Amino acid sequence: MARRSFIKMHGLGNDFVVIDARAKPLALAAEAVRALADRNTGIGCDQVIAIEPAPNGKADAFMRIFNADGGEVAACGNGTRCVASLLMAEQGADRVAIETASGLIQARAAGPGEVAVDMGEARLGWDEIPLSREADTLHLPLGAGPFEDAVGVNMGNPHAVFFVADAEAAPLEEFGPRLETDPLFPERANIGAAHLEARDRIRLRVWERGVGLTRACGTGACAALVAAVRRELTGRSARVRLDGGDLGVAWRDDGHVVMTGPAATSFEGSFEEDWLR
């Protein structure tokens, strides 16, 4: 019986099943992803990540990302740090380039267990989020319950960031599913609830599309910093405190957003490939 190896990793509690598919290709249907991600009958994770050969030779590998509901997405900040840490250890290097559906990402070692990732430029146009109709992305026409006046940002994934009085008390479990699937977002959206703890500190919780509440969201942290700068609430760098811990985020003058944080391995294992069918 053929078996497939995996590594269970996490970035601040945002957890992944990482499968190396460079030498042995792996086709993952949505049902197979859901089976792997199931926390009762599978391995359990927020996202499944397949490491594939880089298609154009300009990167060290291609990273394919699936949310727990089986849908493929273009970017994952915490997952990128995890994959970068694996590739750097494998190559004995202190920096790598990773191709994703949202573009080429550069990553480098940033201290013991820490990885810095250039997530690329923040996209702010209504058609870049994307929205279903033209709208001001600094004040999205979106709201439900206590959530109103969001900022739209695309960091490889679409995000709507709401600044609230208390992010920890904000009822994301209740309103996140409704906001995620609002007709304004043809590709759905990640919903962030944030408040300022200081000029350089943001408290953030994120309802991720196709996953639900997660302990950390790397692209969400980047989106929250960009949203705060656009609202003139912070400078261009800040610590973003998520349920699982802190990320450092900086929005450079060239438009690129750099995120720095930990990557950790939980355990390794294998599963029977026939189980996925």
Side-chain angles (χ1 to χ4, degrees), residues 2-7 43 267-273 275:
R3 298 189 68 83
R4 175 73 69 158
S5 298
F6 71 88
I7 303 175
I43 301 167
F267 58 88
E268 299 182 21
S270 65
F271 56 87
E272 293 181 0
E273 292 191 6
W275 172 68

Side-chain angles (χ1 to χ4, degrees), residues 129-183:
I129 302 300
L131 305 180
S132 58
R133 62 185 187 275
E134 186 171 356
D136 179 4
T137 63
L138 190 55
H139 300 280
L140 291 178
L142 175 73
F147 298 95
E148 58 183 13
D149 193 25
V151 181
V153 182
N154 186 304
M155 287 304 315
N157 294 321
H159 287 268
V161 181
F162 292 87
F163 290 98
V164 298
D166 185 351
E168 296 187 23
L172 272 173
E173 299 93 331
E174 180 180 357
F175 292 100
R178 185 191 312 181
L179 293 164
E180 170 196 347
T181 57
D182 189 276

